[in-house]
Amino acid sequence: AIAPRRCSGSTLACLAAFSSATAIVAATALGALARTTLEGAGEPAPMTPWYMTEAAATTQLIVVRHCDKVANATAPGFCTARGYEHGAFLAQLFGSTLPPPTHIFARRPAEAEPDYADRDLWMLWPTAQRFGLRVNATLAKEEVPALAAALASRQHPPGSVILLSWDHCQVPWLLQELGCASHLCRRCWSDVDFDSVLVLSLREGAAPTVKSLREGFEGRGRYRVGSCRNEVGGDRCEESLFVA
């Protein structure tokens, strides 16, 4: 299993040192606020569990953004204080507004210094701990064709629920590699959107379908795109599909 690397100095200790989402949140700079959220004051509004009506022959791919960061301000490999709380919040959605995952994927982190891929792990680790799952982080962000092949392989039979956090610049590329032609799979992901969830439904012999949801942790904010223009796979998204 891959856990976020251990932090140094007075920063947060590695998430692997904690045994529950509550303990994770207690270690953040805004722990008191987060504990209130977990105890009920800020819980997301109840939603009808859409996944209860999905066919058993369908594989669900749930795509989320990594933990929150501030561009050009948050150090690589780390999140904002609220970003650490976000991972704990996400973990509580599974089994209520989202189906419990059976597999989890993230980008491969660097072997030495903290890097951007670590943010995937900070976001996913509370969910991995809650459900006792390993995080598959064997592929780098640019290995999207290989990732698509892995997600569509027989290792994930119908009925599987795959949770994925990846660089938002490669998400449209990935969804298109999996056969999605919807505008939701072609539009760029806003640089400042950490709350959206895309759910791709894969069924053998049928075209994929996709739905867009929101976690309810952050407000929508104003769309801003542009950071992906020079990224590998960035040409696979269309900025014009966003409506401000």
Side-chain angles (χ1 to χ4, degrees), residues 60-188:
Q60 304 290 338
L61 173 64
I62 301 175
V63 183
V64 300
R65 186 89 180 270
H66 55 64
C67 66
D68 309 44
K69 52 96 175 177
V70 176
N72 303 317
T74 308
F78 297 93
C79 318
T80 62
R82 190 156 172 78
Y84 291 109
E85 298 165 16
H86 198 160
F89 179 90
L90 175 67
Q92 306 310 304
L93 298 182
F94 293 99
S96 57
T97 59
L98 294 171
T102 57
H103 304 81
I104 302 180
F105 280 77
R107 291 173 288 174
R108 182 176 68 233
E111 294 182 1
E113 296 299 319
D115 72 350
Y116 299 106
D118 287 358
R119 292 179 180 143
D120 295 344
L121 297 175
W122 287 113
M123 186 67 165
L124 299 174
W125 195 249
T127 301
Q129 290 288 287
R130 180 183 173 193
F131 292 98
L133 297 174
R134 292 177 177 269
V135 177
N136 185 326
T138 58
L139 297 172
K141 73 173 186 178
E142 66 273 9
E143 297 181 276
V144 168
L147 174 63
L151 296 176
S153 73
R154 293 184 178 179
Q155 295 180 18
H156 308 109
S160 297
V161 177
I162 306 169
L163 173 62
L164 171 87
S165 177
W166 212 259
D167 190 301
H168 70 294
C169 294
Q170 283 79 46
V171 168
W173 180 17
L174 171 64
L175 299 180
Q176 292 168 45
E177 287 286 327
L178 289 168
C180 182
S182 165
H183 75 283
L184 293 175
C185 298
R186 292 183 289 113
R187 70 179 186 180
C188 299

